[in-house]
Amino acid sequence: MYKYREATENDFNEICSLIKSREEMFLVYPKGNYPLTVAQITELSKERMELTVAVDEFGIVGFANIYDYNENEYMFIGNVIIEKQYRGKGLGKEIVSYMLEKAFVKYGLCEVRISVFSENIPALLLYSNFGFTPYALEERKNHEGRRVALIHMKMENNRLKGILLASRKK
């Protein structure tokens, strides 16, 4: 149903349109300033790798990337954004699976990490269902200046095989 491909500069404007509020911006890209701009995505593309878009017949419906790549050890999946009307329909699971496969298969890593704010319950549940487990907690301030927890989670390569096989059977 969805196709995944490398994001190009021509996609940046459409990627920006995936973020609809200051709260979403904070949850997805806390270092950014709302509204997300092409200039911010351009800067992000210089620091991150595997900028990936999920596309259907209507256009870009999801985005994710990889950062903090430590060769032969781990990398982080970041900036997972799903078009609002596609949330809760399995696209988040698909794009995270796609990024996990990149990390474990293409890069041959032992571990993948992801960070999620305590306020982002859907993402916490999604990552937990994948088998990500918390390993650290960091205090941050949200977009309103309130204290929140940034939960750092990790998943080891041995978990991926079962997850990918299970997702392909569905």
Side-chain angles (χ1 to χ4, degrees):
M1 183 154 85
Y2 305 106
K3 292 182 181 174
Y4 299 91
R5 63 172 173 77
E6 184 177 335
T8 68
E9 285 185 32
N10 292 336
D11 298 323
F12 290 0
N13 201 32
E14 205 170 343
I15 292 167
C16 291
S17 71
L18 296 173
I19 304 245
K20 308 280 195 246
S21 71
R22 190 172 309 280
E23 179 184 27
E24 285 179 348
M25 181 72 170
F26 173 76
L27 294 175
V28 171
Y29 184 32
K31 292 181 181 177
N33 295 307
Y34 183 78
L36 184 60
T37 64
V38 169
Q40 289 180 86
I41 296 285
T42 301
E43 284 305 306
L44 192 71
S45 73
K46 294 174 186 173
E47 303 166 1
R48 304 211 172 187
M49 48 197 286
E50 299 291 346
L51 277 71
T52 302
V53 290
V55 180
D56 72 2
E57 63 271 18
F58 302 109
I60 293 173
V61 294
F63 174 73
N65 57 57
I66 292 173
Y67 68 101
D68 284 354
Y69 172 56
N70 290 286
E71 192 171 349
N72 300 320
E73 292 183 41
Y74 67 86
M75 62 177 42
F76 281 80
I77 296 174
N79 304 119
V80 178
I81 309 168
I82 305 299
E83 173 67 49
K84 198 168 194 163
Q85 66 195 35
Y86 289 76
R87 294 178 193 164
K89 298 179 180 176
L91 178 55
K93 182 178 179 181
E94 280 189 36
I95 201 166
V96 171
S97 292
Y98 183 84
M99 300 308 286
L100 284 169
E101 192 165 0
K102 283 228 183 240
F104 287 133
V105 176
K106 180 177 179 180
Y107 292 94
L109 296 174
C110 299
E111 182 178 283
V112 172
R113 298 178 180 184
I114 202 157
S115 297
V116 59
F117 283 101
S118 54
E119 298 176 332
N120 195 347
I121 302 302
L124 275 169
L125 294 172
L126 173 67
Y127 304 147
S128 177
N129 285 336
F130 268 103
F132 280 93
T133 56
Y135 68 90
L137 192 69
E138 182 181 336
E139 183 176 325
R140 293 276 187 98
K141 300 251 186 221
N142 72 6
H143 61 289
E144 297 171 334
R146 288 193 342 250
R147 292 172 62 200
V148 294
L150 181 60
I151 303 164
H152 301 288
M153 304 174 83
K154 64 183 177 180
M155 184 174 110
E156 295 178 357
N157 191 350
N158 58 4
R159 298 261 318 144
L160 177 70
K161 192 173 199 177
I163 290 166
L164 290 178
L165 289 174
S167 69
R168 289 187 179 139
K169 289 179 183 176
K170 292 179 181 182

